[in-house]
Coordinates of all heavy atoms in Angstrom, one line a residue:
M1 N 78.7 138.8 -90.0 CA 78.7 137.9 -91.0 C 79.3 136.6 -90.5 O 80.3 136.6 -89.9 CB 79.5 138.4 -92.2 CG 79.6 137.5 -93.4 SD 80.3 138.2 -94.9 CE 81.6 139.2 -94.3
L2 N 78.6 135.5 -90.7 CA 79.0 134.2 -90.3 C 79.9 133.5 -91.4 O 79.4 133.5 -92.6 CB 77.9 133.3 -89.9 CG 78.1 131.9 -89.6 CD1 78.9 131.8 -88.3 CD2 76.9 131.1 -89.4
V3 N 81.0 133.0 -91.1 CA 81.9 132.3 -92.0 C 81.4 130.8 -92.1 O 81.6 130.1 -91.1 CB 83.4 132.4 -91.7 CG1 84.2 131.6 -92.7 CG2 83.8 133.8 -91.6
Q4 N 80.7 130.5 -93.2 CA 80.2 129.1 -93.3 C 81.3 128.1 -93.6 O 82.4 128.5 -94.1 CB 79.2 129.1 -94.5 CG 78.0 130.1 -94.3 CD 77.0 129.6 -93.3 OE1 76.9 128.4 -93.0 NE2 76.2 130.5 -92.8
A5 N 81.1 126.9 -93.2 CA 82.1 125.8 -93.4 C 82.5 125.7 -94.9 O 83.6 125.4 -95.2 CB 81.6 124.5 -92.9
A6 N 81.5 125.9 -95.8 CA 81.8 125.7 -97.2 C 82.3 127.0 -97.9 O 82.5 127.0 -99.1 CB 80.5 125.3 -97.9
S7 N 82.5 128.0 -97.1 CA 83.0 129.3 -97.6 C 84.4 129.2 -98.1 O 85.3 128.5 -97.6 CB 82.9 130.4 -96.5 OG 83.5 131.6 -97.0
D8 N 84.7 130.0 -99.1 CA 86.1 130.1 -99.6 C 87.0 130.9 -98.7 O 88.2 130.8 -98.8 CB 86.1 130.9 -101.0 CG 85.4 130.2 -102.1 OD1 85.3 128.9 -102.0 OD2 85.0 130.8 -103.1
L9 N 86.4 131.6 -97.7 CA 87.2 132.3 -96.7 C 87.9 131.4 -95.6 O 88.9 131.8 -95.0 CB 86.3 133.3 -96.0 CG 85.7 134.4 -96.9 CD1 84.8 135.3 -96.0 CD2 86.8 135.3 -97.4
V10 N 87.4 130.2 -95.5 CA 87.9 129.3 -94.5 C 89.4 129.0 -94.8 O 89.7 128.6 -96.0 CB 87.1 128.0 -94.4 CG1 87.7 127.0 -93.4 CG2 85.7 128.3 -93.9
G11 N 90.3 129.1 -93.9 CA 91.7 128.9 -94.1 C 92.5 130.0 -94.7 O 93.6 129.9 -95.0
T12 N 91.8 131.2 -94.9 CA 92.4 132.3 -95.5 C 92.7 133.4 -94.5 O 91.8 133.7 -93.7 CB 91.4 132.9 -96.6 OG1 91.1 131.9 -97.5 CG2 92.1 134.0 -97.3
P13 N 93.9 133.9 -94.5 CA 94.2 135.1 -93.6 C 93.3 136.3 -94.0 O 93.0 136.5 -95.2 CB 95.7 135.4 -93.9 CG 96.2 134.2 -94.5 CD 95.1 133.5 -95.3
L14 N 92.9 137.1 -93.0 CA 92.1 138.3 -93.3 C 92.7 139.1 -94.4 O 92.0 139.6 -95.3 CB 91.9 139.1 -92.1 CG 90.7 138.8 -91.2 CD1 90.7 139.6 -90.0 CD2 89.4 139.1 -92.0
G15 N 94.0 139.3 -94.4 CA 94.7 140.2 -95.3 C 94.6 139.7 -96.8 O 94.8 140.4 -97.7
E16 N 94.3 138.4 -96.9 CA 94.3 137.8 -98.3 C 92.8 137.4 -98.6 O 92.6 136.8 -99.7 CB 95.1 136.5 -98.4 CG 96.6 136.8 -98.1 CD 97.4 135.5 -98.1 OE1 96.9 134.4 -98.5 OE2 98.5 135.6 -97.5
S17 N 91.9 137.8 -97.8 CA 90.4 137.4 -98.0 C 89.7 138.2 -99.1 O 88.7 137.8 -99.5 CB 89.7 137.6 -96.7 OG 89.6 139.0 -96.3
G18 N 90.3 139.3 -99.5 CA 89.7 140.1 -100.5 C 88.6 141.1 -99.9 O 88.0 141.8 -100.7
L19 N 88.4 141.0 -98.6 CA 87.4 141.9 -98.0 C 87.8 143.4 -98.2 O 86.9 144.2 -98.5 CB 87.2 141.6 -96.5 CG 86.6 140.2 -96.3 CD1 86.6 139.9 -94.7 CD2 85.2 140.1 -96.8
R20 N 89.0 143.7 -98.0 CA 89.5 145.1 -98.1 C 89.3 145.6 -99.6 O 89.0 146.8 -99.8 CB 91.0 145.2 -97.8 CG 91.3 145.5 -96.3 CD 90.6 146.6 -95.8 NE 91.4 147.5 -95.0 CZ 91.0 148.5 -94.4 NH1 89.8 149.0 -94.6 NH2 91.8 149.2 -93.7
D21 N 89.5 144.7 -100.5 CA 89.3 145.1 -101.9 C 87.9 145.4 -102.2 O 87.6 146.2 -103.2 CB 89.7 143.9 -102.9 CG 91.2 143.6 -102.7 OD1 92.0 144.5 -102.3 OD2 91.6 142.5 -103.0
R22 N 87.0 144.9 -101.4 CA 85.5 145.2 -101.6 C 85.1 146.3 -100.6 O 83.9 146.5 -100.4 CB 84.7 143.9 -101.3 CG 85.1 142.8 -102.2 CD 84.4 141.5 -101.9 NE 83.3 141.3 -102.7 CZ 82.5 140.3 -102.7 NH1 82.8 139.2 -102.0 NH2 81.5 140.2 -103.6
D23 N 86.0 147.0 -100.1 CA 85.7 148.1 -99.1 C 85.0 147.6 -97.9 O 84.1 148.3 -97.4 CB 85.0 149.2 -99.8 CG 85.8 150.0 -100.8 OD1 87.0 150.1 -100.6 OD2 85.3 150.4 -101.8
I24 N 85.3 146.4 -97.4 CA 84.7 145.9 -96.2 C 85.8 145.8 -95.1 O 86.9 145.2 -95.3 CB 84.1 144.5 -96.4 CG1 83.0 144.6 -97.4 CG2 83.6 143.9 -95.1 CD1 82.5 143.3 -97.9
S25 N 85.6 146.5 -94.0 CA 86.5 146.4 -92.9 C 86.0 145.5 -91.8 O 84.8 145.6 -91.4 CB 86.7 147.8 -92.3 OG 87.3 148.7 -93.2
V26 N 86.8 144.6 -91.2 CA 86.4 143.7 -90.1 C 86.8 144.4 -88.8 O 87.9 144.7 -88.5 CB 87.1 142.4 -90.2 CG1 86.7 141.5 -89.1 CG2 86.8 141.7 -91.6
L27 N 85.7 144.8 -88.1 CA 85.9 145.5 -86.8 C 86.2 144.5 -85.6 O 87.1 144.8 -84.8 CB 84.7 146.3 -86.5 CG 84.2 147.3 -87.5 CD1 82.9 148.0 -87.1 CD2 85.3 148.3 -87.8
T28 N 85.5 143.4 -85.6 CA 85.8 142.3 -84.6 C 85.6 141.0 -85.2 O 84.9 140.8 -86.2 CB 84.8 142.4 -83.4 OG1 83.5 142.2 -83.8 CG2 85.0 143.8 -82.6
L29 N 86.3 140.0 -84.6 CA 86.2 138.6 -85.0 C 85.8 137.9 -83.8 O 86.5 137.9 -82.8 CB 87.6 138.1 -85.6 CG 87.6 136.7 -86.2 CD1 88.7 136.6 -87.2 CD2 87.8 135.7 -85.1
Q30 N 84.7 137.2 -83.8 CA 84.3 136.3 -82.7 C 84.5 134.9 -83.0 O 83.9 134.4 -84.0 CB 82.8 136.6 -82.3 CG 82.3 135.8 -81.2 CD 80.9 136.0 -80.9 OE1 80.2 136.9 -81.4 NE2 80.3 135.2 -80.0
R31 N 85.2 134.2 -82.2 CA 85.5 132.8 -82.4 C 85.1 132.1 -81.1 O 85.8 132.2 -80.1 CB 87.0 132.6 -82.7 CG 87.3 131.1 -83.0 CD 88.7 131.0 -83.5 NE 88.8 131.5 -84.9 CZ 89.9 132.0 -85.4 NH1 91.1 131.9 -84.8 NH2 89.9 132.4 -86.7
G32 N 84.0 131.4 -81.1 CA 83.5 130.8 -79.9 C 83.2 131.9 -78.8 O 82.4 132.8 -79.1
T33 N 83.8 131.8 -77.7 CA 83.6 132.8 -76.7 C 84.6 134.0 -76.7 O 84.5 134.9 -76.0 CB 83.6 132.2 -75.2 OG1 84.9 131.6 -75.0 CG2 82.5 131.2 -75.1
Q34 N 85.6 133.8 -77.6 CA 86.6 134.8 -77.7 C 86.3 135.9 -78.7 O 85.9 135.6 -79.8 CB 88.0 134.2 -78.1 CG 89.1 135.1 -78.2 CD 90.4 134.4 -78.7 OE1 90.3 133.3 -79.3 NE2 91.5 135.0 -78.4
V35 N 86.4 137.2 -78.3 CA 86.2 138.3 -79.3 C 87.5 139.0 -79.5 O 88.2 139.4 -78.5 CB 85.1 139.3 -78.7 CG1 84.9 140.4 -79.6 CG2 83.8 138.6 -78.5
I36 N 87.9 139.1 -80.7 CA 89.1 139.8 -81.1 C 88.8 141.1 -81.7 O 88.3 141.2 -82.9 CB 90.0 138.9 -82.0 CG1 90.2 137.5 -81.4 CG2 91.3 139.6 -82.4 CD1 90.7 136.5 -82.4
P37 N 89.0 142.2 -81.1 CA 88.8 143.5 -81.7 C 89.9 143.9 -82.7 O 91.1 143.5 -82.4 CB 88.7 144.5 -80.5 CG 89.5 143.9 -79.4 CD 89.4 142.4 -79.6
N38 N 89.6 144.5 -83.7 CA 90.6 144.9 -84.8 C 91.5 143.8 -85.1 O 92.7 143.9 -84.9 CB 91.4 146.2 -84.3 CG 90.5 147.3 -84.0 OD1 89.6 147.6 -84.8 ND2 90.7 148.0 -82.9
P39 N 91.0 142.7 -85.6 CA 91.9 141.5 -85.9 C 92.9 141.9 -86.9 O 92.7 142.7 -87.8 CB 90.9 140.5 -86.4 CG 89.7 141.2 -86.9 CD 89.6 142.4 -86.1
R40 N 94.1 141.3 -86.8 CA 95.2 141.5 -87.7 C 95.0 140.8 -89.0 O 94.3 139.9 -89.1 CB 96.5 141.0 -87.0 CG 96.9 141.7 -85.8 CD 98.2 141.2 -85.3 NE 98.5 141.8 -84.0 CZ 99.3 142.8 -83.9 NH1 99.9 143.4 -84.9 NH2 99.6 143.3 -82.7
R41 N 95.7 141.3 -90.0 CA 95.6 140.7 -91.3 C 96.0 139.3 -91.3 O 95.7 138.5 -92.2 CB 96.4 141.5 -92.3 CG 96.0 143.0 -92.5 CD 97.0 143.8 -93.3 NE 97.5 143.2 -94.5 CZ 96.8 143.2 -95.7 NH1 95.6 143.8 -95.8 NH2 97.3 142.6 -96.8
S42 N 96.8 138.9 -90.4 CA 97.4 137.5 -90.3 C 96.4 136.5 -89.7 O 96.7 135.3 -89.8 CB 98.7 137.5 -89.6 OG 98.5 138.0 -88.2
H43 N 95.3 137.0 -89.1 CA 94.4 136.0 -88.5 C 93.7 135.2 -89.6 O 93.2 135.7 -90.6 CB 93.2 136.8 -87.8 CG 93.6 137.0 -86.3 ND1 94.1 138.2 -85.9 CD2 93.4 136.3 -85.2 CE1 94.3 138.2 -84.6 NE2 93.9 137.0 -84.2
V44 N 93.9 133.9 -89.4 CA 93.3 132.9 -90.4 C 91.9 132.6 -90.0 O 91.5 132.3 -88.9 CB 94.1 131.6 -90.5 CG1 93.5 130.6 -91.4 CG2 95.6 131.9 -90.9
L45 N 91.0 132.8 -91.0 CA 89.5 132.6 -90.8 C 89.2 131.1 -90.7 O 89.8 130.3 -91.4 CB 88.7 133.3 -91.9 CG 88.8 134.8 -91.9 CD1 88.2 135.3 -93.2 CD2 88.2 135.4 -90.7
E46 N 88.3 130.8 -89.7 CA 87.8 129.4 -89.6 C 86.3 129.3 -89.7 O 85.7 130.4 -89.5 CB 88.2 128.9 -88.1 CG 89.7 128.9 -87.9 CD 90.1 128.4 -86.5 OE1 89.1 128.1 -85.7 OE2 91.2 128.4 -86.1
A47 N 85.8 128.2 -90.0 CA 84.4 128.0 -90.1 C 83.8 128.3 -88.7 O 84.3 127.9 -87.7 CB 84.1 126.5 -90.5
G48 N 82.7 129.0 -88.8 CA 82.0 129.4 -87.5 C 82.4 130.7 -87.0 O 81.8 131.2 -86.0
D49 N 83.5 131.3 -87.5 CA 83.8 132.7 -87.1 C 82.7 133.6 -87.4 O 82.1 133.5 -88.5 CB 85.1 133.2 -87.8 CG 86.4 132.5 -87.2 OD1 86.3 131.8 -86.2 OD2 87.4 132.7 -87.9
R50 N 82.5 134.6 -86.6 CA 81.6 135.7 -86.8 C 82.3 137.0 -87.0 O 83.1 137.3 -86.1 CB 80.5 135.8 -85.7 CG 79.6 134.6 -85.6 CD 78.5 134.8 -84.6 NE 77.6 133.7 -84.5 CZ 76.6 133.5 -85.4 NH1 76.3 134.4 -86.2 NH2 75.9 132.4 -85.3
L51 N 82.0 137.7 -88.0 CA 82.7 138.9 -88.3 C 81.8 140.1 -88.2 O 80.7 140.1 -88.8 CB 83.3 138.9 -89.7 CG 84.2 137.7 -90.1 CD1 84.6 137.8 -91.6 CD2 85.4 137.6 -89.2
L52 N 82.2 141.1 -87.4 CA 81.4 142.4 -87.4 C 82.1 143.3 -88.4 O 83.3 143.6 -88.2 CB 81.4 143.0 -86.0 CG 80.7 144.3 -85.8 CD1 79.2 144.2 -86.2 CD2 80.9 144.9 -84.4
C53 N 81.4 143.6 -89.4 CA 82.0 144.4 -90.5 C 81.4 145.7 -90.7 O 80.2 146.0 -90.3 CB 81.8 143.6 -91.8 SG 82.6 142.0 -91.8
F54 N 82.1 146.6 -91.4 CA 81.7 147.9 -91.8 C 82.1 148.1 -93.2 O 83.2 147.8 -93.6 CB 82.4 149.0 -90.9 CG 82.0 150.4 -91.4 CD1 80.8 151.0 -91.0 CD2 82.8 151.1 -92.2 CE1 80.4 152.2 -91.4 CE2 82.4 152.4 -92.6 CZ 81.3 152.9 -92.2
G55 N 81.1 148.5 -94.0 CA 81.4 148.7 -95.4 C 80.2 148.9 -96.3 O 79.1 149.2 -95.8
K56 N 80.3 148.7 -97.5 CA 79.2 148.8 -98.5 C 78.2 147.7 -98.3 O 78.6 146.5 -98.3 CB 79.7 148.8 -99.9 CG 80.6 150.0 -100.2 CD 81.0 150.0 -101.7 CE 81.8 151.2 -102.0 NZ 82.3 151.2 -103.3
L57 N 77.0 148.1 -98.0 CA 75.9 147.1 -97.7 C 75.8 146.1 -98.9 O 75.6 144.9 -98.7 CB 74.6 147.8 -97.4 CG 73.4 146.9 -97.0 CD1 73.8 146.2 -95.7 CD2 72.2 147.8 -96.7
E58 N 75.8 146.6 -100.1 CA 75.6 145.7 -101.3 C 76.7 144.6 -101.3 O 76.5 143.5 -101.7 CB 75.6 146.5 -102.6 CG 74.4 147.4 -102.7 CD 74.6 148.7 -101.9 OE1 75.7 149.1 -101.7 OE2 73.6 149.4 -101.6
E59 N 77.9 145.0 -101.0 CA 79.1 144.1 -101.1 C 78.9 143.0 -100.0 O 79.2 141.9 -100.2 CB 80.4 144.8 -100.9 CG 80.8 145.7 -102.0 CD 81.2 144.8 -103.3 OE1 81.5 143.6 -103.1 OE2 81.1 145.3 -104.4
M60 N 78.5 143.5 -98.8 CA 78.3 142.5 -97.7 C 77.2 141.5 -98.0 O 77.3 140.3 -97.7 CB 78.1 143.2 -96.4 CG 79.4 143.9 -95.9 SD 79.3 144.6 -94.3 CE 78.4 146.1 -94.6
R61 N 76.1 142.1 -98.5 CA 75.0 141.2 -98.9 C 75.3 140.2 -99.9 O 74.8 139.1 -99.9 CB 73.8 142.0 -99.4 CG 73.0 142.7 -98.3 CD 71.7 143.3 -98.9 NE 71.0 143.9 -97.8 CZ 70.2 144.9 -97.9 NH1 70.1 145.5 -99.1 NH2 69.5 145.4 -96.9
S62 N 76.2 140.5 -100.9 CA 76.6 139.6 -101.9 C 77.4 138.5 -101.4 O 77.5 137.4 -102.1 CB 77.3 140.3 -103.0 OG 78.6 140.7 -102.6
M63 N 78.0 138.6 -100.2 CA 78.8 137.5 -99.6 C 78.0 136.6 -98.8 O 78.5 135.5 -98.4 CB 79.9 138.1 -98.8 CG 80.8 139.0 -99.6 SD 82.2 139.6 -98.6 CE 83.1 138.1 -98.3
I64 N 76.7 136.9 -98.5 CA 75.9 136.0 -97.7 C 75.1 135.0 -98.6 O 74.5 135.5 -99.6 CB 74.9 136.8 -96.8 CG1 75.7 137.7 -95.9 CG2 74.0 135.9 -96.1 CD1 74.8 138.7 -95.2
P65 N 75.3 133.7 -98.4 CA 74.6 132.8 -99.3 C 73.1 132.9 -99.2 O 72.6 133.2 -98.1 CB 75.1 131.4 -98.9 CG 75.6 131.6 -97.5 CD 76.0 133.0 -97.4
S66 N 72.4 132.7 -100.3 CA 70.9 132.8 -100.3 C 70.4 131.6 -99.5 O 71.0 130.5 -99.6 CB 70.4 132.9 -101.6 OG 70.7 131.8 -102.4
R67 N 69.3 131.8 -98.8 CA 68.7 130.7 -98.1 C 67.9 129.9 -99.0 O 67.2 130.3 -99.9 CB 67.8 131.2 -97.0 CG 68.5 132.0 -95.9 CD 67.5 132.4 -94.9 NE 68.2 133.0 -93.7 CZ 67.6 133.3 -92.6 NH1 66.3 133.1 -92.5 NH2 68.3 133.9 -91.7
R68 N 68.0 128.6 -98.8 CA 67.3 127.6 -99.6 C 65.9 127.4 -98.9 O 65.8 127.3 -97.7 CB 68.0 126.3 -99.8 CG 69.2 126.3 -100.6 CD 69.7 124.9 -100.8 NE 71.1 125.0 -100.5 CZ 71.8 123.9 -100.1 NH1 71.2 122.8 -100.0 NH2 73.0 124.0 -99.8
K69 N 64.9 127.3 -99.8 CA 63.6 127.1 -99.2 C 63.5 125.6 -98.8 O 63.9 124.7 -99.6 CB 62.5 127.4 -100.1 CG 62.3 128.9 -100.4 CD 61.2 129.2 -101.2 CE 61.0 130.7 -101.4 NZ 59.9 131.0 -102.3
R70 N 63.1 125.3 -97.6 CA 63.0 123.9 -97.2 C 61.6 123.4 -97.6 O 60.6 124.1 -97.4 CB 63.1 123.8 -95.7 CG 64.4 124.0 -95.2 CD 64.6 123.8 -93.7 NE 63.6 123.0 -93.1 CZ 63.5 122.8 -91.8 NH1 64.5 123.2 -91.0 NH2 62.6 122.1 -91.3
I71 N 61.6 122.3 -98.3 CA 60.4 121.7 -98.7 C 60.0 120.6 -97.7 O 60.7 119.7 -97.4 CB 60.5 121.0 -100.1 CG1 60.9 122.1 -101.2 CG2 59.3 120.3 -100.5 CD1 61.3 121.5 -102.5
R72 N 58.8 120.9 -97.1 CA 58.4 120.0 -96.1 C 57.3 119.0 -96.7 O 56.4 119.5 -97.4 CB 57.8 120.7 -94.9 CG 58.8 121.5 -94.2 CD 58.3 122.3 -93.0 NE 56.9 122.1 -92.6 CZ 56.3 122.7 -91.7 NH1 57.0 123.7 -91.1 NH2 55.1 122.5 -91.3
K73 N 57.5 117.7 -96.4 CA 56.5 116.8 -96.9 C 55.3 116.8 -96.0 O 55.4 116.9 -94.8 CB 57.1 115.4 -96.9 CG 58.1 115.1 -98.0 CD 58.4 113.6 -98.1 CE 59.3 113.3 -99.3 NZ 59.6 111.9 -99.4
V74 N 54.1 116.8 -96.6 CA 52.9 116.8 -95.9 C 52.4 115.4 -95.9 O 52.2 114.8 -97.0 CB 51.9 117.8 -96.5 CG1 50.5 117.7 -95.8 CG2 52.4 119.2 -96.5
K75 N 52.1 114.8 -94.7 CA 51.6 113.5 -94.7 C 50.1 113.5 -95.0 O 49.4 114.3 -94.5 CB 51.8 112.9 -93.3 CG 53.3 112.6 -93.0 CD 53.4 112.0 -91.7 CE 54.9 111.7 -91.4 NZ 55.1 111.1 -90.0
R76 N 49.7 112.5 -95.8 CA 48.3 112.4 -96.1 C 47.5 111.7 -95.0 O 48.1 110.8 -94.4 CB 48.1 111.7 -97.4 CG 48.6 112.5 -98.6 CD 48.3 111.8 -99.9 NE 48.9 112.4 -101.0 CZ 48.2 113.3 -101.7 NH1 47.0 113.6 -101.5 NH2 48.8 113.9 -102.7
L77 N 46.3 112.1 -94.7 CA 45.5 111.4 -93.7 C 45.0 110.1 -94.3 O 44.7 110.0 -95.5 CB 44.3 112.3 -93.3 CG 44.7 113.6 -92.6 CD1 43.5 114.5 -92.4 CD2 45.4 113.3 -91.3
P78 N 44.8 109.1 -93.5 CA 44.2 107.9 -94.0 C 42.8 108.1 -94.5 O 42.1 109.0 -94.0 CB 44.3 106.9 -92.8 CG 44.4 107.8 -91.6 CD 45.0 109.1 -92.0
K79 N 42.4 107.3 -95.4 CA 41.0 107.4 -96.0 C 40.0 107.0 -94.9 O 38.9 107.6 -94.8 CB 40.8 106.5 -97.2 CG 41.6 107.0 -98.4 CD 41.4 106.1 -99.6 CE 42.2 106.7 -100.7 NZ 42.0 105.8 -101.9
D80 N 40.3 106.0 -94.1 CA 39.3 105.5 -93.1 C 39.7 106.2 -91.8 O 40.9 106.3 -91.4 CB 39.4 104.0 -92.9 CG 39.0 103.3 -94.2 OD1 38.1 103.8 -94.9 OD2 39.6 102.3 -94.5
P81 N 38.7 106.6 -91.0 CA 39.0 107.3 -89.7 C 39.6 106.3 -88.8 O 39.4 105.1 -88.8 CB 37.6 107.7 -89.2 CG 36.6 107.0 -90.0 CD 37.3 106.6 -91.3
I82 N 40.4 106.8 -87.9 CA 41.0 105.9 -86.8 C 40.1 105.9 -85.6 O 39.8 107.0 -85.1 CB 42.4 106.5 -86.5 CG1 43.3 106.5 -87.8 CG2 43.1 105.7 -85.4 CD1 44.6 107.2 -87.5
H83 N 39.7 104.7 -85.2 CA 38.9 104.6 -84.0 C 39.7 104.2 -82.8 O 40.5 103.3 -82.9 CB 37.8 103.5 -84.3 CG 36.9 103.8 -85.4 ND1 35.9 104.8 -85.3 CD2 36.8 103.3 -86.7 CE1 35.2 104.8 -86.5 NE2 35.8 104.0 -87.3
E84 N 39.4 105.0 -81.7 CA 40.1 104.6 -80.5 C 39.2 103.7 -79.8 O 38.0 103.8 -79.7 CB 40.3 105.9 -79.7 CG 41.4 106.8 -80.4 CD 41.7 108.0 -79.5 OE1 41.6 107.8 -78.2 OE2 42.1 109.0 -80.0
G85 N 39.7 102.7 -79.1 CA 38.8 101.8 -78.5 C 39.4 101.1 -77.4 O 39.6 100.4 -76.7

């Protein structure tokens, strides 16, 4: 699970994150190139942290923000053909 910059988890210690209350255990915390196995409750979460978790699938899915559909503008072709010359 990726900790997004807009997440409420940013700046929160693992022990106060509420993950344990949702029966989610954090097995590893990856921060950049550093991997912390069995992170302590005192580790403060930062934006961009990646958490390897174990727990109820429904609970973990509910924590992942839904993806927004990107609307792409389609350019209209000109009415008159373009002549190369």
Side-chain angles (χ1 to χ4, degrees):
M1 181 169 41
L2 176 66
V3 178
Q4 302 284 340
S7 173
D8 294 338
L9 296 175
V10 175
T12 305
L14 265 175
E16 298 174 18
S17 66
L19 294 174
R20 272 306 222 181
D21 298 336
R22 298 175 101 173
D23 291 325
I24 298 173
S25 298
V26 178
L27 304 175
T28 62
L29 185 153
Q30 179 181 351
R31 184 173 289 158
T33 58
Q34 182 183 18
V35 177
I36 304 165
N38 300 316
R40 296 181 184 265
R41 297 172 47 83
S42 60
H43 272 94
V44 177
L45 295 172
E46 296 178 4
D49 284 352
R50 292 186 179 276
L51 308 176
L52 176 63
C53 300
F54 177 81
K56 294 181 179 179
L57 187 58
E58 293 81 23
E59 288 292 335
M60 289 188 279
R61 280 189 178 151
S62 71
M63 297 185 68
I64 299 172
S66 60
R67 292 185 177 185
R68 289 189 233 154
K69 291 184 179 180
R70 286 182 23 179
I71 300 172
R72 295 180 8 184
K73 285 188 173 182
V74 177
K75 292 183 180 180
R76 296 186 182 264
L77 294 173
K79 290 182 181 179
D80 298 324
I82 300 173
H83 297 285
E84 293 185 28

